[in-house]
Amino acid sequence: MARKEHKTDLCIVGGGLTGLCAAVAAARQGIKVVLMQDRPMLGGNASSEIRMWVRGAKGKENRETGIISELEEENIYRNPELCYSVWDGVMWEKVKKEKNIELLLNCSCCDCDAEKTPDGYVIKSVTGWQLTTYTWHTVYAKYFADCSGDSVLATLSGARFRVGREAKSEYGEAMGREESDEKTMGMSCLLQARETDHPVKFTPPDWAYVYEKDEDFNFACVRTPVADGSKSISDQTIKVATSMSRPHKLGTSETNFWWIEMGGDRDSIHDAEEMRDELLRIAYGIWDHVKNRADHKADNWELEWVGFLPGKRESRRYIGEYVMTEQDVEAGGKFDDVIAYGGWPMDDHNPAGFKSYEYSFPPSILYPAPSPYGIPYRVLYGRDVKNLFFAGRNISVTHAALSSTRVMATCSLIGQAAGNAAAICVKKNVTPHGVYKKYIGELQAKLLDQGCFIPGKVREIPALSREASLNIPEGERELLFNGIERPDAEFNRNYAVLPVGGEITFDFGEEKALTELRIVFDPDFSRESVSRNKKMRVFAQRAMRGLDFEPMKVANTLVRDFEIEADGKPVAVFSDYHNSLFRLPLGISARKLTVRFNKTWGSEEVHLFSCDVK
Ligand SMILES: Cc1cc2nc3c(=O)[nH]c(=O)nc-3n(C[C@H](O)[C@H](O)[C@H](O)COP(=O)(O)OP(=O)(O)OC[C@H]3O[C@@H](n4cnc5c(N)ncnc54)[C@H](O)[C@@H]3O)c2cc1C
């Protein structure tokens, strides 16, 4: 076997969307990163191996921005048919383009060297086995980030963690149990199918389960009093929608069979292989039911793909400096150290999963959560392992809070925050806790500058821009410089409007050194221009493909062609631009800087949430 050693600033274990965003964010801050991912591709549950669509905070105006929107905007531009393998390529390329990242794919972290100190541990290195090259990789780093979902570095380093659902007595959560347990949400193997123009036969394997009728696996989902001691809340706050039964209607943007779920009442790490076998028997049995038993209007549908790698919802969660709870979510997460936000309901899956009808308890209960609510920095690290971050579904939250924070757009924001925090640690030579003590404002400002939204925080406009005179009406200038880069809850525009072909000129009064131009275009938060299918507006991935599927379109409000001049001389020209955030290092001196917006992707107006120079 070969052996290889790496020395780096930050080693990230796990390349789901969280780890990916953490790595890209850190690398862009100029630190060296090794990203170790045990699968052949990036993206975790969003990858072509598992195929979950990326969800985040509810409410059109709450759509996540930052690295996650960069990825989704790129996917819609390059992959309008939403082919999962092409999406894999988009995620891979995002990492490969960062020269500060060394990517180790097919490399499973299975060891860690942690040194005991008087008040905890410091991780020196981690070691992973790379399947494709028969190589042991040992990575020495100043800081580590566990984005593995399963918290692999917790057991290896001695960090505190827990598994399962808290007792009411611990945090006073209404969703808490009378007694704590080790049950989790389960794992799933999803199905993907497509409609053809001819009948397609399906012959089930002899090991698939048989479900003759709907009642063999489904149940009439009535408003069910919660059976086993969970949240005692009034009927109207529990939304047990019909979708919480086991829908199996086929169609573009219909179910991805998320409810084929098992393992929550087992060990979701060590029993994963056994659970996969069971999930496959169920999945093939369900497809046989849809195709061959009763009329499900499925004659022309063919099974395109069945997941062989169970997607995991929950396993070990770290215990950090702060543990975020159900009450924190419900109170809107108003923390001084807020660095990200969520807004998905508390979506608590029954550990019994697919077998849950036996308990007349639905597969999932949705408890309302405000959207957006803030997530504090202190859930990303503990005080026991001095140089370790955690990000993703393994952060320091209770089971109840996790049932909301776990969705992938939220995890991506958390990853971006962790990557930036790690870069501050490297540059200032402080621990993750040191960032909380001294640099939390700097971290928040960096995230805002990168286009992330942080509830309650407003981006500061560079003085150079504020002091310049502009050739646009005062009202539009105010909108451009209000530091808010999305519509409000009533969908009032927060953007300045220009005609297509219009320009903005900054006049600084005298020659000034200009370092960067930053523009935020309107990504069409309502996404009406992205798809005519209302459900598809939510996603940048798809599960089923009916004959009515229409390719996604680049948001018509994004600016496609634009050019930049300094004192009348050309600086740069951009065409086919399709992202909402634009940043250009300038490194010039000039008295005037002009940006001319020549063409959008269809809109008759140019919308600018921000445009400033520093
Ligand atoms: C069936 C299902 C349905 C869901 N529905 C939705 C939904 O509709 N929308 C949504 O947004 N979210 C959904 N979720 C939740 C969401 O997918 C997860 O909470 C989210 O993926 C967590 O992100 P993560 O980056 O922490 O983990 P992951 O996406 O799991 O990524 C972690 C990565 O780390 C890798 N890894 C693990 N151990 C190691 C190791 N030892 N060494 C190296 N690499 C390692 C894993 O292979 C994986 O690729 C669903 C989850 C499941 C399972």
Side-chain angles (χ1 to χ4, degrees), residues 49-60:
E49 279 193 315
I50 296 178
R51 306 197 181 196
M52 261 330 299
W53 40 46
V54 178
R55 301 299 306 266
K58 292 273 184 184
K60 290 177 195 164

Side-chain angles (χ1 to χ4, degrees), residues 32 105 118 130 335 375 424 447 453 536 554 603 609:
K32 296 279 178 206
L105 287 176
Q130 194 171 45
F335 298 97
I375 297 174
I424 295 176
L447 290 165
F453 169 66
M536 292 307 294
V554 174
S603 163
F609 279 110

Side-chain angles (χ1 to χ4, degrees), residues 12-268:
I12 299 174
V13 174
L17 276 174
T18 316
L20 187 166
C21 291
V24 170
R28 287 180 180 172
Q29 291 299 307
I31 68 166
K32 296 279 178 206
V33 180
V34 171
L35 174 57
M36 187 183 281
Q37 157 73 342
D38 64 358
R39 308 303 308 170
M41 69 279 286
L42 295 160
N45 283 351
S47 73
S48 65
E49 279 193 315
I50 296 178
R51 306 197 181 196
M52 261 330 299
W53 40 46
V54 178
R55 301 299 306 266
K58 292 273 184 184
K60 290 177 195 164
E61 75 285 9
N62 293 324
R63 177 165 275 276
E64 290 74 6
T65 47
I67 296 168
I68 184 63
S69 63
E70 243 178 86
L71 285 163
E72 294 203 338
E73 285 160 3
E74 193 64 29
N75 195 40
I76 287 172
Y77 171 69
R78 294 250 303 281
N79 184 21
E81 302 282 326
L82 300 184
C83 162
Y84 257 103
S85 300
V86 178
W87 163 238
D88 285 342
V90 168
M91 292 186 284
W92 175 79
E93 168 194 294
K94 184 61 72 191
V95 166
K96 292 301 274 187
K97 278 192 172 169
E98 295 296 336
K99 62 178 186 350
N100 283 338
I101 303 179
E102 185 177 359
L103 176 62
L104 300 175
L105 287 176
N106 296 301
C107 189
S108 184
C109 172
C110 41
D111 202 1
C112 154
D113 179 19
E115 203 170 75
K116 188 135 181 48
T117 65
D119 56 346
Y121 295 91
V122 173
I123 301 179
K124 297 284 168 197
S125 67
V126 299
T127 297
W129 166 249
Q130 194 171 45
L131 186 71
T132 44
T133 59
Y134 286 72
T135 300
W136 291 104
H137 290 271
T138 297
V139 185
Y140 296 87
K142 294 176 190 148
Y143 298 88
F144 294 81
D146 186 339
C147 301
S148 69
D150 283 343
S151 305
V152 59
L153 293 183
T155 43
L156 295 176
S157 72
R160 292 169 68 212
F161 69 93
R162 76 176 291 164
V163 178
R165 305 180 294 183
E166 286 79 2
K168 276 187 176 27
S169 58
E170 291 178 72
Y171 296 97
E173 294 177 309
M175 281 168 72
R177 330 298 303 170
E178 291 314 317
E179 283 185 23
S180 65
D181 62 27
E182 297 215 331
K183 293 183 180 176
T184 62
M185 293 179 272
M187 52 194 108
S188 295
C189 287
L190 304 180
L191 300 180
Q192 214 168 40
R194 83 184 169 102
E195 192 179 15
T196 70
D197 57 4
H198 55 274
V200 178
K201 209 172 151 229
F202 175 70
T203 308
D206 60 6
W207 42 262
Y209 288 127
V210 176
Y211 305 106
E212 281 298 346
K213 0 181 240 320
D214 271 26
E215 300 78 61
D216 290 347
F217 65 94
N218 217 340
F219 54 95
C221 207
V222 288
R223 200 172 280 278
T224 321
V226 179
D228 57 349
S230 66
K231 194 165 184 169
S232 57
I233 45 178
S234 63
D235 258 8
Q236 52 287 23
T237 58
I238 305 183
K239 191 176 149 212
V240 185
T242 25
S243 65
M244 290 295 108
S245 64
R246 299 193 168 100
H248 46 288
K249 184 173 165 207
L250 301 179
T252 302
S253 77
E254 293 291 346
T255 186
N256 57 7
F257 297 88
W258 60 268
W259 42 265
I260 301 177
E261 175 174 358
M262 293 293 293
D265 47 10
R266 300 278 295 269
D267 177 337
S268 62

